[in-house]
Amino acid sequence: MLNLVLFGPPGAGKGTQSEKLIQKYQLVHLSTGDLLRSQIAAGTELGLRAKSLMDQGLLVPDEVVIGMIENKLTENQQAPGFIFDGFPRTVKQAEALDTLLTLHGTGITTMVALVVDEEELIRRLLKRGETSGRPDDKDEATARRRVSVYNSETMPVAEHYAQQGKYAAISGIGTIDDIFELVCQKIQQAQLS
Ligand code: AP5
Ligand code: MG
């Protein structure tokens, strides 16, 4: 199996690269942000609870996203692998993911981190906000809060996988195709090691 964590701050290009990766490797794409937004669109109780936190650029509780991932892993037992996008976002989520994958007889192949500086991230998010309709892309203060939450709560997840020898970083600045090539190289290296 190929189980990839695509890592990086808001606006780094995780969703953009995921679209290309799922075509090349036939992976199941698990984006907790997308899953939460579909709960909001469906008007579920979970969606209602998540919405105000997401709109402020804050994380939703660990147990909510861990539960969603657990369901998706169980639903997709025959998948050739998964691409985790926007998850895990805390060390607690990473530990839960490792445990779940072990129960399914598998594990993370590698984490690939997209490195992009804050000013470029803010530019991308505000630009996307002109058309995306995402409330968390609408104003600069919310975009900056998301980056700051990433720095304080999510960055330690990189160390979690680095300690397992499963961390690779690449620049997330450049053309989408060039970045895709670099991501694929890192996947190949991890599969060979
Ligand atoms: P989520 O949906 O995961 O958002 P995010 O991490 O903030 O990341 P984005 O989706 O904004 O960016 P991306 O890296 O996917 O970049 P994209 O490809 O779109 O999470 C939203 C919220 O949900 C969180 O704040 C939290 O509240 C909650 N949540 C989700 N998961 C959670 C979890 N696990 N735990 C707790 N809470 C959770 O690209 C961005 C833009 O840049 C696009 O317009 C794109 O066209 C453009 N772009 C892409 N690549 C390039 C390039 N190479 N050059 C120029 N522009 C580019
Ligand atoms: Mg995304």
PDB file of all heavy atoms in Angstrom, residues 101-121:
ATOM      1  N   LEU A 101      -3.862   2.701  11.388  1.00  0.00           N
ATOM      2  CA  LEU A 101      -3.252   2.026  10.237  1.00  0.00           C
ATOM      3  C   LEU A 101      -2.639   0.692  10.664  1.00  0.00           C
ATOM      4  O   LEU A 101      -2.730  -0.299   9.927  1.00  0.00           O
ATOM      5  CB  LEU A 101      -2.201   2.931   9.569  1.00  0.00           C
ATOM      6  CG  LEU A 101      -2.765   4.150   8.832  1.00  0.00           C
ATOM      7  CD1 LEU A 101      -1.638   5.021   8.282  1.00  0.00           C
ATOM      8  CD2 LEU A 101      -3.700   3.747   7.684  1.00  0.00           C
ATOM      9  N   THR A 102      -2.049   0.650  11.845  1.00  0.00           N
ATOM     10  CA  THR A 102      -1.500  -0.620  12.347  1.00  0.00           C
ATOM     11  C   THR A 102      -2.619  -1.657  12.472  1.00  0.00           C
ATOM     12  O   THR A 102      -2.459  -2.815  12.069  1.00  0.00           O
ATOM     13  CB  THR A 102      -0.808  -0.411  13.714  1.00  0.00           C
ATOM     14  OG1 THR A 102       0.195   0.586  13.541  1.00  0.00           O
ATOM     15  CG2 THR A 102      -0.156  -1.686  14.220  1.00  0.00           C
ATOM     16  N   LEU A 103      -3.781  -1.224  12.974  1.00  0.00           N
ATOM     17  CA  LEU A 103      -4.926  -2.138  13.097  1.00  0.00           C
ATOM     18  C   LEU A 103      -5.358  -2.675  11.733  1.00  0.00           C
ATOM     19  O   LEU A 103      -5.863  -3.790  11.623  1.00  0.00           O
ATOM     20  CB  LEU A 103      -6.116  -1.420  13.748  1.00  0.00           C
ATOM     21  CG  LEU A 103      -6.028  -1.180  15.257  1.00  0.00           C
ATOM     22  CD1 LEU A 103      -7.164  -0.276  15.722  1.00  0.00           C
ATOM     23  CD2 LEU A 103      -6.066  -2.513  16.007  1.00  0.00           C
ATOM     24  N   HIS A 104      -5.180  -1.845  10.688  1.00  0.00           N
ATOM     25  CA  HIS A 104      -5.533  -2.268   9.328  1.00  0.00           C
ATOM     26  C   HIS A 104      -4.357  -2.979   8.644  1.00  0.00           C
ATOM     27  O   HIS A 104      -4.387  -3.190   7.431  1.00  0.00           O
ATOM     28  CB  HIS A 104      -5.979  -1.057   8.501  1.00  0.00           C
ATOM     29  CG  HIS A 104      -7.370  -0.582   8.843  1.00  0.00           C
ATOM     30  ND1 HIS A 104      -8.491  -0.961   8.145  1.00  0.00           N
ATOM     31  CD2 HIS A 104      -7.808   0.221   9.829  1.00  0.00           C
ATOM     32  CE1 HIS A 104      -9.565  -0.403   8.685  1.00  0.00           C
ATOM     33  NE2 HIS A 104      -9.183   0.338   9.710  1.00  0.00           N
ATOM     34  N   GLY A 105      -3.297  -3.259   9.404  1.00  0.00           N
ATOM     35  CA  GLY A 105      -2.158  -4.001   8.852  1.00  0.00           C
ATOM     36  C   GLY A 105      -1.271  -3.190   7.933  1.00  0.00           C
ATOM     37  O   GLY A 105      -0.589  -3.740   7.059  1.00  0.00           O
ATOM     38  N   THR A 106      -1.274  -1.883   8.098  1.00  0.00           N
ATOM     39  CA  THR A 106      -0.455  -1.057   7.215  1.00  0.00           C
ATOM     40  C   THR A 106       0.139   0.116   8.013  1.00  0.00           C
ATOM     41  O   THR A 106       0.099   0.100   9.245  1.00  0.00           O
ATOM     42  CB  THR A 106      -1.303  -0.602   5.993  1.00  0.00           C
ATOM     43  OG1 THR A 106      -0.483   0.152   5.106  1.00  0.00           O
ATOM     44  CG2 THR A 106      -2.499   0.227   6.387  1.00  0.00           C
ATOM     45  N   GLY A 107       0.723   1.084   7.323  1.00  0.00           N
ATOM     46  CA  GLY A 107       1.314   2.235   8.014  1.00  0.00           C
ATOM     47  C   GLY A 107       1.575   3.352   7.028  1.00  0.00           C
ATOM     48  O   GLY A 107       1.340   3.193   5.821  1.00  0.00           O
ATOM     49  N   ILE A 108       2.067   4.469   7.525  1.00  0.00           N
ATOM     50  CA  ILE A 108       2.407   5.593   6.648  1.00  0.00           C
ATOM     51  C   ILE A 108       3.670   5.257   5.858  1.00  0.00           C
ATOM     52  O   ILE A 108       4.642   4.771   6.428  1.00  0.00           O
ATOM     53  CB  ILE A 108       2.611   6.875   7.493  1.00  0.00           C
ATOM     54  CG1 ILE A 108       1.268   7.365   8.062  1.00  0.00           C
ATOM     55  CG2 ILE A 108       3.282   7.983   6.673  1.00  0.00           C
ATOM     56  CD1 ILE A 108       0.236   7.745   7.006  1.00  0.00           C
ATOM     57  N   THR A 109       3.643   5.492   4.546  1.00  0.00           N
ATOM     58  CA  THR A 109       4.827   5.290   3.710  1.00  0.00           C
ATOM     59  C   THR A 109       5.781   6.463   3.901  1.00  0.00           C
ATOM     60  O   THR A 109       6.952   6.281   4.190  1.00  0.00           O
ATOM     61  CB  THR A 109       4.424   5.178   2.216  1.00  0.00           C
ATOM     62  OG1 THR A 109       3.374   4.222   2.105  1.00  0.00           O
ATOM     63  CG2 THR A 109       5.614   4.793   1.356  1.00  0.00           C
ATOM     64  N   THR A 110       5.257   7.673   3.713  1.00  0.00           N
ATOM     65  CA  THR A 110       6.069   8.864   3.933  1.00  0.00           C
ATOM     66  C   THR A 110       5.180  10.094   4.072  1.00  0.00           C
ATOM     67  O   THR A 110       4.033  10.092   3.630  1.00  0.00           O
ATOM     68  CB  THR A 110       7.084   9.086   2.780  1.00  0.00           C
ATOM     69  OG1 THR A 110       8.015  10.112   3.164  1.00  0.00           O
ATOM     70  CG2 THR A 110       6.412   9.501   1.483  1.00  0.00           C
ATOM     71  N   MET A 111       5.750  11.120   4.706  1.00  0.00           N
ATOM     72  CA  MET A 111       5.117  12.435   4.722  1.00  0.00           C
ATOM     73  C   MET A 111       5.916  13.318   3.772  1.00  0.00           C
ATOM     74  O   MET A 111       7.148  13.351   3.855  1.00  0.00           O
ATOM     75  CB  MET A 111       5.163  13.013   6.138  1.00  0.00           C
ATOM     76  CG  MET A 111       4.866  14.500   6.179  1.00  0.00           C
ATOM     77  SD  MET A 111       5.035  15.186   7.851  1.00  0.00           S
ATOM     78  CE  MET A 111       3.386  14.955   8.462  1.00  0.00           C
ATOM     79  N   VAL A 112       5.227  13.998   2.865  1.00  0.00           N
ATOM     80  CA  VAL A 112       5.901  14.981   2.006  1.00  0.00           C
ATOM     81  C   VAL A 112       5.366  16.361   2.379  1.00  0.00           C
ATOM     82  O   VAL A 112       4.156  16.598   2.331  1.00  0.00           O
ATOM     83  CB  VAL A 112       5.678  14.699   0.505  1.00  0.00           C
ATOM     84  CG1 VAL A 112       6.338  15.778  -0.342  1.00  0.00           C
ATOM     85  CG2 VAL A 112       6.229  13.327   0.127  1.00  0.00           C
ATOM     86  N   ALA A 113       6.288  17.238   2.795  1.00  0.00           N
ATOM     87  CA  ALA A 113       5.898  18.584   3.228  1.00  0.00           C
ATOM     88  C   ALA A 113       6.156  19.591   2.116  1.00  0.00           C
ATOM     89  O   ALA A 113       7.225  19.586   1.502  1.00  0.00           O
ATOM     90  CB  ALA A 113       6.705  18.969   4.471  1.00  0.00           C
ATOM     91  N   LEU A 114       5.164  20.447   1.868  1.00  0.00           N
ATOM     92  CA  LEU A 114       5.299  21.539   0.895  1.00  0.00           C
ATOM     93  C   LEU A 114       5.666  22.803   1.670  1.00  0.00           C
ATOM     94  O   LEU A 114       4.892  23.250   2.524  1.00  0.00           O
ATOM     95  CB  LEU A 114       3.969  21.755   0.149  1.00  0.00           C
ATOM     96  CG  LEU A 114       3.408  20.535  -0.593  1.00  0.00           C
ATOM     97  CD1 LEU A 114       1.998  20.823  -1.117  1.00  0.00           C
ATOM     98  CD2 LEU A 114       4.335  20.158  -1.749  1.00  0.00           C
ATOM     99  N   VAL A 115       6.840  23.350   1.380  1.00  0.00           N
ATOM    100  CA  VAL A 115       7.329  24.513   2.127  1.00  0.00           C
ATOM    101  C   VAL A 115       7.052  25.794   1.335  1.00  0.00           C
ATOM    102  O   VAL A 115       7.509  25.931   0.198  1.00  0.00           O
ATOM    103  CB  VAL A 115       8.849  24.382   2.396  1.00  0.00           C
ATOM    104  CG1 VAL A 115       9.365  25.596   3.168  1.00  0.00           C
ATOM    105  CG2 VAL A 115       9.138  23.092   3.156  1.00  0.00           C
ATOM    106  N   VAL A 116       6.264  26.684   1.940  1.00  0.00           N
ATOM    107  CA  VAL A 116       5.913  27.961   1.294  1.00  0.00           C
ATOM    108  C   VAL A 116       5.931  29.051   2.372  1.00  0.00           C
ATOM    109  O   VAL A 116       5.431  28.837   3.478  1.00  0.00           O
ATOM    110  CB  VAL A 116       4.500  27.891   0.649  1.00  0.00           C
ATOM    111  CG1 VAL A 116       4.109  29.224   0.025  1.00  0.00           C
ATOM    112  CG2 VAL A 116       4.428  26.782  -0.395  1.00  0.00           C
ATOM    113  N   ASP A 117       6.532  30.202   2.039  1.00  0.00           N
ATOM    114  CA  ASP A 117       6.618  31.267   3.042  1.00  0.00           C
ATOM    115  C   ASP A 117       5.260  31.939   3.275  1.00  0.00           C
ATOM    116  O   ASP A 117       4.361  31.882   2.431  1.00  0.00           O
ATOM    117  CB  ASP A 117       7.659  32.318   2.625  1.00  0.00           C
ATOM    118  CG  ASP A 117       7.271  33.002   1.336  1.00  0.00           C
ATOM    119  OD1 ASP A 117       6.520  33.988   1.385  1.00  0.00           O
ATOM    120  OD2 ASP A 117       7.690  32.525   0.253  1.00  0.00           O
ATOM    121  N   GLU A 118       5.135  32.584   4.439  1.00  0.00           N
ATOM    122  CA  GLU A 118       3.836  33.105   4.876  1.00  0.00           C
ATOM    123  C   GLU A 118       3.236  34.134   3.912  1.00  0.00           C
ATOM    124  O   GLU A 118       2.028  34.098   3.657  1.00  0.00           O
ATOM    125  CB  GLU A 118       3.954  33.709   6.289  1.00  0.00           C
ATOM    126  CG  GLU A 118       2.647  34.340   6.751  1.00  0.00           C
ATOM    127  CD  GLU A 118       2.516  34.519   8.254  1.00  0.00           C
ATOM    128  OE1 GLU A 118       3.315  33.943   9.021  1.00  0.00           O
ATOM    129  OE2 GLU A 118       1.587  35.247   8.659  1.00  0.00           O
ATOM    130  N   GLU A 119       4.058  35.035   3.374  1.00  0.00           N
ATOM    131  CA  GLU A 119       3.468  36.072   2.512  1.00  0.00           C
ATOM    132  C   GLU A 119       2.858  35.467   1.248  1.00  0.00           C
ATOM    133  O   GLU A 119       1.800  35.887   0.798  1.00  0.00           O
ATOM    134  CB  GLU A 119       4.501  37.165   2.182  1.00  0.00           C
ATOM    135  CG  GLU A 119       4.957  37.973   3.411  1.00  0.00           C
ATOM    136  CD  GLU A 119       3.818  38.321   4.395  1.00  0.00           C
ATOM    137  OE1 GLU A 119       2.822  38.921   3.953  1.00  0.00           O
ATOM    138  OE2 GLU A 119       3.928  37.972   5.592  1.00  0.00           O
ATOM    139  N   GLU A 120       3.521  34.454   0.692  1.00  0.00           N
ATOM    140  CA  GLU A 120       2.962  33.769  -0.483  1.00  0.00           C
ATOM    141  C   GLU A 120       1.664  33.030  -0.110  1.00  0.00           C
ATOM    142  O   GLU A 120       0.694  33.041  -0.865  1.00  0.00           O
ATOM    143  CB  GLU A 120       4.019  32.799  -1.057  1.00  0.00           C
ATOM    144  CG  GLU A 120       3.523  31.873  -2.160  1.00  0.00           C
ATOM    145  CD  GLU A 120       3.191  32.557  -3.482  1.00  0.00           C
ATOM    146  OE1 GLU A 120       3.503  33.762  -3.651  1.00  0.00           O
ATOM    147  OE2 GLU A 120       2.594  31.875  -4.350  1.00  0.00           O
ATOM    148  N   LEU A 121       1.645  32.417   1.068  1.00  0.00           N
ATOM    149  CA  LEU A 121       0.426  31.714   1.516  1.00  0.00           C
ATOM    150  C   LEU A 121      -0.750  32.684   1.596  1.00  0.00           C
ATOM    151  O   LEU A 121      -1.848  32.395   1.105  1.00  0.00           O
ATOM    152  CB  LEU A 121       0.632  31.091   2.902  1.00  0.00           C
ATOM    153  CG  LEU A 121       1.682  29.985   3.020  1.00  0.00           C
ATOM    154  CD1 LEU A 121       1.904  29.623   4.487  1.00  0.00           C
ATOM    155  CD2 LEU A 121       1.268  28.749   2.219  1.00  0.00           C
TER     156      LEU A 121
END
